[in-house]
Amino acid sequence: MKKTLIPVILLLLSAQSNAGVKQYRADIENSTWQLTDDSRLQCTLTHQIPRYGAAKFYSSASRKMNMEFELEMMRLPDSYALAEVRSEAPNWRPGKAGRVLADMKLHKQFSPSLPKKMAWHMLSELEQGMSPTFYYDDWYSASDKISVGLSTARFQKAYQAFVTCVANLLNFNFEDIAYTVLNYQFGSDKLTKASQKRMDMIVEYLALDPNLELVLVDGYSDSYGGRNTNLKMSERRANKVRDLFVKNGIDASRIEANGYGERRHVASNETLIGRSKNRRVVVRMEQP
């Protein structure tokens, strides 16, 4: 008699312990993964979680590979806490053991995130058919627990598109070109080879993101030759850069181009190297 009661008691205890767990997960029919940003500047893979929010993986143009995961919540945390991140087997893989991946900090009033290494790890788990799941105490109800799972349904196709997008990102970002010094060949408005490569980078970026708040283009010359001639050359250099920016989609009203001639030298005009540094256009760009 006692032996038959024990399983019943265990079942009742199990039911009571699960009664306070609020579970959020998309079922197979409603699971969607979408590439919501697909450009050479930004890639975003988004998974909608019904009644909860969304899970998002981000990667952006940069000199270094980057990745971030964000758990976007409809109801933001009201206090600091920790969530356990586990890799769980979906229902169609019975017997597959889960494991702990990490702890995720839940900060007050903004959505939690995880850095590059763990974000890639979670994507790898999803690719292998596992479901990253978050467990934490409900900050609005002390007796309840929260479980948030990422569905593997319809993941693979969107994931492959995301990986392709990430591979095609620019290997530089706005910060890399926001302040640029362009140098010129002697006595002309033709850029040096190194500066032409730099200008090509700027043009490539502007073709993808022309929304700038302000562009300042300041032209300068060395002191070789007449002062008035040098002033006109510096203006010609600055205006040529401005015209190139306008051609690539920048509103002309947002660009200020000026030539300063021999003023504001950055190196000695007594040497060839010094004069080459003074023959320059300084480009400064600001985003909204």
Side-chain angles (χ1 to χ4, degrees):
M1 185 67 175
K2 290 182 179 179
K3 290 183 178 180
T4 59
L5 284 174
I6 290 175
V8 174
I9 293 171
L10 289 176
L11 285 172
L12 288 172
L13 289 174
S14 177
Q16 290 174 357
S17 64
N18 290 328
V21 178
K22 297 179 182 178
Q23 296 184 336
Y24 299 92
R25 183 191 302 267
D27 56 28
I28 294 177
E29 291 77 14
N30 296 320
S31 177
T32 59
W33 288 89
Q34 293 180 313
L35 191 60
T36 49
D37 288 309
D38 183 7
S39 74
R40 298 200 68 198
L41 299 180
Q42 178 78 33
C43 304
T44 305
L45 179 62
T46 302
H47 175 56
Q48 297 297 329
I49 305 172
R51 301 179 295 110
Y52 185 86
K56 294 185 176 183
F57 293 90
Y58 302 93
S59 188
S60 57
S62 177
R63 285 180 290 181
K64 296 181 179 180
M65 172 62 73
N66 62 87
M67 180 69 64
E68 185 176 356
F69 169 82
E70 180 180 344
L71 190 60
E72 191 176 85
M73 303 173 175
M74 290 180 180
R75 293 193 304 168
L76 293 174
D78 193 46
S79 61
Y80 175 84
L82 281 176
E84 183 181 68
V85 186
R86 294 184 58 86
S87 179
E88 303 282 11
N91 294 333
W92 53 269
R93 299 185 69 180
K96 178 70 174 180
R99 59 195 178 94
V100 176
L101 299 180
D103 286 328
M104 182 174 66
K105 295 179 180 179
L106 304 178
H107 296 282
K108 187 174 181 178
Q109 297 303 319
F110 64 88
S111 295
S113 63
L114 290 169
K116 178 177 68 175
K117 186 175 181 180
M118 185 48 58
W120 276 117
H121 195 172
M122 289 169 60
L123 286 170
S124 178
E125 292 293 307
L126 282 159
E127 187 179 20
Q128 296 174 57
M130 299 296 284
S131 174
T133 306
F134 308 86
Y135 297 93
Y136 59 90
D137 294 331
D138 187 348
W139 45 81
Y140 293 106
S141 177
S143 60
D144 290 331
K145 305 287 185 180
I146 301 291
S147 169
V148 184
L150 308 188
S151 173
T152 60
R154 299 183 180 87
F155 170 76
Q156 295 294 342
K157 185 176 180 180
Y159 174 60
Q160 291 306 317
F162 179 67
V163 170
T164 300
C165 179
V166 172
N168 198 42
L169 287 169
L170 290 181
N171 61 356
F172 61 91
N173 57 26
F174 179 75
E175 285 70 26
D176 295 323
I177 60 171
Y179 182 89
T180 297
V181 178
L182 304 170
N183 294 109
Y184 290 80
Q185 298 181 24
F186 174 73
S188 77
D189 59 359
K190 188 175 181 180
L191 291 166
T192 62
K193 289 183 179 180
S195 289
Q196 184 59 58
K197 290 180 180 179
R198 187 75 173 178
M199 177 59 81
D200 291 342
M201 289 173 61
I202 296 175
V203 170
E204 185 177 16
Y205 186 92
L206 295 181
L208 297 168
D209 182 18
N211 298 315
L212 297 179
E213 186 173 85
L214 177 65
V215 181
L216 301 177
V217 182
D218 297 329
Y220 303 92
S221 72
D222 59 26
S223 61
Y224 189 89
R227 182 167 296 181
N228 189 54
T229 300
N230 289 336
L231 177 60
K232 290 181 178 179
M233 177 59 74
S234 68
E235 291 172 345
R236 197 164 86 191
R237 290 167 177 163
N239 289 332
K240 190 172 181 179
V241 171
R242 179 199 59 197
D243 293 344
L244 185 59
F245 286 172
V246 172
K247 183 180 177 180
N248 283 275
I250 305 302
D251 188 338
S253 65
R254 296 183 178 181
I255 305 174
E256 296 180 13
N258 295 287
Y260 295 97
E262 301 177 10
R263 297 164 56 190
R264 304 176 187 174
H265 289 156
V266 294
S268 171
N269 278 295
E270 301 300 319
T271 65
L272 289 174
I273 293 176
R275 288 196 292 273
S276 69
K277 292 180 179 180
N278 290 329
R279 296 191 299 270
R280 71 197 190 280
V281 164
V282 178
V283 179
R284 289 170 288 167
M285 296 182 285
E286 296 179 6
Q287 289 181 321

